[in-house]
Amino acid sequence: MTPEGLMNLVLLGIGILALGILVTALTSEQRALTRVLGVVFALVAGIVLLYAGVGLIVWGATARITLTEITAIKTKLTLQADMLSGLFLSLIALLSIPSALHSFAYLEHPHYRQESLIRYYPMFMLFLLAMVGVVVAWDLLTFLVFWEVMTLASYVLVAYERSKPENLRAALKYFILTHIGALCLLVAAVILWVQGGSFEFETVFATIEKLAKTRPILLHVILALMFIGFATKAALFPFGDWLPDAHPAAPSPISAMLSGVMIKLGIYGFLRFFVWLLPTAAFPFAYDWSYVFGIFGVVSAVLGGAAATVTYDAKVLLAYSSIAQSGFITLGIGAGMFLFSQDLPLANIAMAGAFFHIVGDALVKALLFLNAGSMLYATGSRKFADLGGLLEAMPQTAGTAFVGSMAIAGFPPLTAFVSKWLILQALLFSKSIPVTFSGVGMLLASIFSILYSVKFFAASFLIKPMRSGNLEVPSTMRLAQLILTLLVIAVGLFPGAVLKWMSWIISDASMFAGAEEKLAGIWQWAWVQPITGAFSPLVLVGMFFVVSIFALIAVGTERQPRKAPIWLGGELVKLEHLGGHPQGVPLREELLQRAYPRAPVPRWRPPEWFTKLLDPEAWMYRPVITGGTWVSDLLRRAHTGVPHLYIAWQIIGAVIIALIVWLMFRK
C-alpha cells in the first residue's frame, strides 16, 4: 500500500473513533446497546489502525498531510506518520481491543452499574483518538493539543467512579501533576517558537541546531523542560507519583490502557525529541543527556520495584511495577545514546532491548491489569489480604495471570527476558564504568521484578486454602485476557520478527542509521551467543521439556498426592496472616535472626576503631538509610493530597518559570 493510503487509514481510524464518541454519547442511556457499540467501534477502529501501524513499519513508509495553516504564527498544522509512529499506533490499536472486550462485562458489575456510561465509552474513544493524534502530530502545536485532550479524557476516566472521595482526590492529583508536566512542554514549545518563529518540526530542528551553537544553556533549559514533561507522563521517579493513586481509582480496563499505552507515550516523546530529533541537530547534547536518562532509569527501576514488593494492593503493585518498567526502558534508551559514539554494536543492542521492552511491557502490563480487574470483579477486593486461594475457582484467569507474572519477572522464554537480556549485555559488556555500574543496578531491579511478580500471583491465587465454587469471570473478560496471553507467549517465543521490525524502526533514526544490519545477529534459531545478543527461545523451551520428561520418569506417576498443611519454608503460619503482610508471607526480623544466627563473639575485645571498620552497617548502611528516610519523609510531606496546596505549587512554579524566561529574553 502507498504511504498516502496508509495515512488515509489513520484518518479513517480517527474518523471511526470520532463517530464512536458521538454514537455512544447519544445512546448512553441504553446501557446494553452502548456496551455493544463501544466494543464494535473500538474493534473496527483497532483493526484499521493496527493495519496502518504495521504497514508503516513493514513498508518503511512516511506519509504527511497538512490540515491547515495559521499564518499569524507561521505554522502549518500537520500530521505525519512514519515507522516510529507505526509502532505506537500498533500498540494503541492492539490494546484497545481487549480493553474494550473486558469493559463489556466489567461495567455491569454492581460496583459500576450506578455510574453513567456517557462518562466511559465516549471518553474511552476520545482517549484513543487523542493518543493516535499524539503519535502522528508533526508540529508542536498539534502535538500539545492532542496531548492535552489525552490528559483530559484520561482524567475523566480515572474519576469515573465518583461516589468515592479518594477516587476524586486521586484523579485531581493526576490532573494537577500531569498538567505541571504539560506546562513544561508548553513553555519549551513557546521558547522554541520565539527562537525559530514556527512550531513545525522542521523549524524546531533548525532552531535546536542554531541554539546548540549560539545559546547552549538555553537549549539545556528547553531539554530539561521537555524531559520533565515526558517523564511525568512516563511515570519516572519522582515525576510519576500520580500513578499509584490513579490506578486503584480507575476501572481496570482503563488502568490497562494507562500503563500499557499512555505512559509509553512519554517514552515516545523521549524517542521523538531526544533520539530522532536531537542527535542529528546537536549530537553532543544527546550524549550529555544520556547520563540523565541513565540515572533516572536506574533509580526508577530500583525504587519502583522495591515499592512494588511491599504493597498490599494488587493494582498499586502493578502501578509501582509500571514505574520500574519505565525505568528499564529509559535506561536502555540512555545506554544507546551514550554508547553510540563508543561502541555502536552495543548501542544498537541496548536500543533494541528498550524497544522490545516497550512492546513486551505494554502487552504484559495490560494483561495483568485485566487480571486484577477480574479478581476485583469476582471477589470485590484488590487487597491481597482478601484474595488468595483463587486458583481452582478462577482457573482461566489464574492461567493467564501466571503467564503475565512470569513474563514481567523475566523468566525465559517470555517477553521481559528478551529485552532484559539485550539491555544487560549492552550495559555489562560496556567499557564505561558508569554504564557497567548501571547494569548492576538493573540486576537489582530485576530481582525486585521476580519478588513482586511472584507475590502478585501467589498472594492472589495460592497461599490460602482453595476456594470452593466457580468464580470465573464472564466470557468476554476471559477472551480479552486470552488474547493478550497468546500475544505475550508468541512475542516471547518468536522474538525474531519483532526484533527485525525494531531494527527497521531504530535504523530510521539518523544516529542509528544502518542498525538493521548490525542487529541481524540478535536472534538465532539454534544457539545462545553472548555479546551479540543472540539466543534461541525455542531451544530453551525444548530443554525445559526434556528436563521435565526426565523428571516425570524419575518421580513416576503411580504415587498418590499427599495432603499436608500449608508450608512456607518450614514455618507454620496462621491462615489469617497469609496475604496480608507486604511480602505475602510473615517475614519478621526474629525469623531472619533464627535463619541466620549471629556467630559467638570472641572474648578478646578488639579496639573500637577496628570494630567499626569491620562493620559496614555502621559507617555505610545506616547513614544511607538515615539519609534516605529523611528524603522519603520530605517527599511524603510534600505530597499531602490537599488540592489547594498542589494548585499553589503550580502557581509558584509558573511564576518561577515565567521569571526565568523573562531573564533569558530580556535585552
Side-chain angles (χ1 to χ4, degrees), residues 80-82 84-86 88-89 92 130-138 143 146 265 268 272:
Q80 176 172 307
D82 58 3
L84 183 62
S85 303
F88 288 89
L89 274 176
I92 294 168
M131 288 193 291
V132 172
V134 166
V135 300
V136 297
W138 202 250
F143 181 89
F146 280 121
L265 294 191
Y268 169 80
R272 178 64 74 188

Side-chain angles (χ1 to χ4, degrees), residues 179-222:
H179 273 80
I180 292 174
L183 178 63
C184 291
L185 294 177
L186 177 61
V187 173
V190 170
I191 297 174
L192 287 170
W193 177 78
V194 170
Q195 295 294 321
S198 177
F199 289 107
E200 297 175 26
F201 279 176
E202 284 80 5
T203 305
V204 169
F205 174 88
T207 304
I208 289 177
E209 192 172 18
K210 181 184 70 173
L211 292 177
K213 299 175 182 177
T214 59
R215 305 187 68 179
I217 296 179
L218 178 59
L219 180 55
H220 277 302
V221 171
I222 294 171

Side-chain angles (χ1 to χ4, degrees), residues 66-78 141 198 200:
T66 300
L67 301 177
T68 186
E69 182 176 2
I70 305 178
T71 56
I73 57 176
K74 301 178 182 179
T75 297
K76 295 179 181 178
L77 302 185
T78 308
L141 188 59
S198 177
E200 297 175 26

